Each structure stands twice: as C-alpha cells, then as structure tokens.
C-alpha cells in the first residue's frame, strides 16, 4: 500500500505545483493586460481632450481669419477622423494628420498678430500645448506597458500560458511614416 501512496503523492504534488504555476502566470497576464488597457485609455482620454479643444480654437481663429477656410476645413476634417479612429494604428495616423493640420493653422495665426494677443486664443493654445504634452507622455506610458506585456507573452513559460488562454501580443502606438518631418506649409505669401 505504501508503494502506491508515494507515486500518487508525487503526482498530486506535481499537479498542485503545475496548477499554482499556471494560475500565477494567468494572473500576471491579466494584470499586464489591464495595465496596457489602462495606459491606452489614457491616450484616448488625451486625444479626446484635444478633439474637444479644437472646435473652440477653430472658432476663435475663424473670427480673425475668415479667408483661411481651407486650413480651417482641414483641421475640422482631421479632427473628425481622429474622433472616429479605432485602435492604436488608426489613431496614430489620424493624430499625425491632425498635427499637420494644426501646424498649418498655426502658420495662419502668424499672419494675424491681433489673434495671437487675444486672451481666448492664448488660453486655448496653452491648453492645447498641455494636451500635446499629456498625449506624448500617455503614448510613452502605453508603449512601455505594451513592451512589458509583449515580453511576458513571448517568453517561456508565459508563451505556453498565453497560447492556452488566448493572450496575444499588443500593438504599439507608432508614428505614421513621414511624421518625423514637419509638414511643408506654403500659402504663397512670398509671391
């Protein structure tokens, strides 16, 4: 009888250790995935803040620069794309387009010194600059969480647990091609 108890005890101990290991790994995945989701929600929050600020900025500029309808239209269109974007890839592309449109809008502002001295405009620009900084920090934090999560998914024994429970690598928030250079803005003012 004792001969059978020892092998059974060893098998039970191995099963208990395996269950403990898998449950611990599973809990790490759940925590890491939640950290990624939380970091991503911070990006979405800051992008939404930016989207919310833009109509006020556009309306302020409209009052001073009625003939600059094309640039204002580009900003409005880019804002709409960002508001409707889903996932890090689409949001990065829409964010890049909006950044370019905002750059062109700021060039327009340079042609209207009285606009730059307007208190509402200055306040909106300060809020927008603060939001841009928050977006940059949120992207960095998100990508850091994604890197940590993806390492957990790809390393052994996490790779086994990830495949069993369906944890897949997450997408980084990347800049779109060409966003490393500032957009060219030319309104033909030198002609």
């Amino acid at each position: 009888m004792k001969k059978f108890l020892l092998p059974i005890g060893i098998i039970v101990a191995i099963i208990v250790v395996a269950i403990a290991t898998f449950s611990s790994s599973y809990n790490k995945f759940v925590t890491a995935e939640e950290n990624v989701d939380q970091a991503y929600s911070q990006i979405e929050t800051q992008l939404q803040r930016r989207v919310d600020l833009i109509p006020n900025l556009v309306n302020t500029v409209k009052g001073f620069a009625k003939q600059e309808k094309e640039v204002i239209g580009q900003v409005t269109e880019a804002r709409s794309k960002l508001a409707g974007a889903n996932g890090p890839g689409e949001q990065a592309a829409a964010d890049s387009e909006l950044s370019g449109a905002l750059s062109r809008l700021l060039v327009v502002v340079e042609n209207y010194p009285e606009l730059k001295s307007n208190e509402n405009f200055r306040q909106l620009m300060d809020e927008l600059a603060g939001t841009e900084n928050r977006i940059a920090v949120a992207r960095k934090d998100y990508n850091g969480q994604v890197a940590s999560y993806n390492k957990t998914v790809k390393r052994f024994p996490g790779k086994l647990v990830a495949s069993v429970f369906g944890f897949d690598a997450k997408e980084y928030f990347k800049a779109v091609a060409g966003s490393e250079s500032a957009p060219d803005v030319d309104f033909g003012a030198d002609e």
Side-chain angles (χ1 to χ4, degrees), residues 32 35-43 88-89 92 135-151 170-175:
N35 289 341
V36 168
D37 292 345
Q38 178 188 19
Y40 185 67
S41 73
Q42 288 302 315
I43 292 175
I135 289 170
V137 169
R139 285 181 193 145
K140 179 184 147 298
D141 291 347
Y142 170 77
N143 284 340
Q145 291 295 334
V146 168
S148 177
Y149 173 83
N150 286 348
K151 288 174 190 173
K170 300 287 185 182
E171 181 181 358
Y172 287 97
F173 198 98
K174 298 178 187 173

Side-chain angles (χ1 to χ4, degrees), residues 125-165:
M125 289 307 298
D126 287 345
E127 287 185 39
L128 189 60
T131 300
E132 296 296 327
N133 290 334
R134 288 183 188 115
I135 289 170
V137 169
R139 285 181 193 145
K140 179 184 147 298
D141 291 347
Y142 170 77
N143 284 340
Q145 291 295 334
V146 168
S148 177
Y149 173 83
N150 286 348
K151 288 174 190 173
T152 306
V153 168
K154 293 176 182 178
R155 289 180 181 159
F156 184 81
K159 189 169 188 162
L160 296 174
V161 176
S163 64
V164 169
F165 292 106

Side-chain angles (χ1 to χ4, degrees), residues 13-25:
I14 291 172
I15 291 172
V16 167
V17 168
I19 290 173
T21 301
F22 270 95
S23 67
S24 175
S25 292

Side-chain angles (χ1 to χ4, degrees), residues 88-191:
E90 279 185 35
Q91 285 181 324
D95 179 50
S96 179
E97 186 176 333
L98 181 58
S99 293
L102 285 173
S103 295
R104 289 185 291 280
L105 181 66
L106 294 179
V107 169
V108 168
V109 168
E110 291 297 319
N111 294 327
Y112 298 92
E114 66 277 6
L115 175 59
K116 289 190 290 188
S117 66
N118 179 285
E119 185 63 36
N120 288 339
F121 178 78
R122 285 198 335 239
Q123 180 183 359
L124 287 168
M125 289 307 298
D126 287 345
E127 287 185 39
L128 189 60
T131 300
E132 296 296 327
N133 290 334
R134 288 183 188 115
I135 289 170
V137 169
R139 285 181 193 145
K140 179 184 147 298
D141 291 347
Y142 170 77
N143 284 340
Q145 291 295 334
V146 168
S148 177
Y149 173 83
N150 286 348
K151 288 174 190 173
T152 306
V153 168
K154 293 176 182 178
R155 289 180 181 159
F156 184 81
K159 189 169 188 162
L160 296 174
V161 176
S163 64
V164 169
F165 292 106
F167 290 101
D168 297 320
K170 300 287 185 182
E171 181 181 358
Y172 287 97
F173 198 98
K174 298 178 187 173
V176 295
S179 64
E180 65 277 355
S181 58
D184 291 333
V185 180
D186 182 15
F187 293 111
D190 295 335
E191 296 176 4

Side-chain angles (χ1 to χ4, degrees), residues 69-99:
K69 290 181 182 175
E70 181 182 340
V71 174
I72 292 169
Q74 291 170 349
V75 170
T76 304
E77 182 181 327
R79 176 192 175 268
S80 296
K81 286 182 182 177
L82 181 58
N86 294 315
E90 279 185 35
Q91 285 181 324
D95 179 50
S96 179
E97 186 176 333
L98 181 58
S99 293

